[in-house]
Amino acid sequence: MAILGSENPYWCEAKPLYSPKVTVWAAVCSRGIIGPFFIRETVTSEPYVAILEQFVATQQVLEDRPRTEWFLQDGARPHRTEQVFRFLDEYFGNRVIALEYPKFTGAGMDWPPYSPDLTPCDYFLWGTLKDIVYPKHPATLDELESEICVACESISVETVRNVMANFILRLRHLCCANGEHFENIVM
């Protein structure tokens, strides 16, 4: 018995396994948001160092902004490579808070693991950007990047100063708790 159909059963449509994505990197300091910088490829130490180079170049061009006093980064794997640590050591020396950084350089401070609520990007910036950008439903990565840039520019310096004051308060609570867990601080 043969069953005949109107479609070719061997026809196959190739579709990407994953939807297109972009990684956003930005810095928050008391004078505003630096960035955003974008990576469309898989984040490894090479594109991450390229972002850090852009960040340092931006800092050097902006004469009214003081040199970064401390550089803080989380413990993502691409952030903990020899190439990244060498770059951070060259530009920031012992003013780095990063997971495994003190083991590599003998300087700086170790990032407390499992503490994303300590960084201004995690407890403020990413949620704020999502609240501003997602309702606009950007259809392409170019539109998404453009909306993220506009959203970053829309955040006032006063708001960022309040965020940084909250960051200092969080660090004080962390010191009082001897590095142990403490309840969220809402300002």
Side-chain angles (χ1 to χ4, degrees):
M1 173 185 218
I3 300 176
L4 301 175
S6 61
E7 295 181 19
N8 181 349
Y10 300 104
W11 180 80
C12 157
E13 180 182 359
K15 291 184 177 180
L17 186 57
Y18 303 104
S19 61
K21 293 177 177 42
V22 64
T23 298
V24 182
W25 189 96
V28 178
C29 70
S30 61
R31 299 187 117 196
I33 295 169
I34 301 170
F37 303 103
F38 302 99
I39 303 174
R40 289 195 182 184
E41 61 209 58
T42 300
V43 180
T44 63
S45 59
E46 289 82 17
Y48 183 61
V49 168
I51 291 286
L52 294 176
E53 288 169 346
Q54 287 180 293
F55 167 70
V56 167
T58 302
Q59 282 292 97
Q60 292 171 344
V61 168
L62 299 173
E63 295 175 20
D64 66 326
R65 293 188 180 190
R67 184 175 164 98
T68 303
E69 291 187 35
W70 282 87
F71 183 85
L72 171 70
Q73 72 177 15
D74 65 17
R77 186 67 208 133
H79 301 175
R80 297 181 284 136
T81 65
E82 182 177 343
Q83 182 182 7
V84 170
F85 286 161
R86 286 192 193 286
F87 181 89
L88 294 176
D89 188 44
E90 178 181 343
Y91 286 95
F92 303 105
N94 67 349
R95 298 179 333 267
V96 175
I97 301 172
L99 188 61
E100 298 178 3
Y101 183 76
K103 291 178 192 172
F104 180 80
T105 63
M109 295 174 62
D110 213 6
W111 171 253
Y114 311 112
S115 55
D117 56 343
L118 284 179
T119 67
C121 286
D122 288 331
Y123 71 79
F124 164 72
L125 185 61
W126 304 136
T128 300
L129 291 179
K130 286 178 184 178
D131 290 346
I132 296 170
V133 172
Y134 283 2
K136 297 179 181 182
H137 303 289
T140 67
L141 290 183
D142 289 334
E143 287 177 18
L144 177 62
E145 288 179 7
S146 177
E147 291 295 340
I148 290 170
C149 289
V150 169
C152 284
E153 291 171 7
S154 74
I155 298 170
S156 72
V157 173
E158 180 182 345
T159 298
V160 175
R161 284 188 183 138
N162 290 337
V163 168
M164 294 310 294
N166 184 269
F167 175 60
I168 292 167
L169 179 64
R170 287 167 186 260
L171 292 178
R172 287 186 181 140
H173 280 280
L174 181 65
C175 290
C176 290
N178 293 320
E180 298 294 323
H181 175 77
F182 62 90
E183 294 301 316
N184 287 333
I185 306 300
V186 179
M187 254 182 112

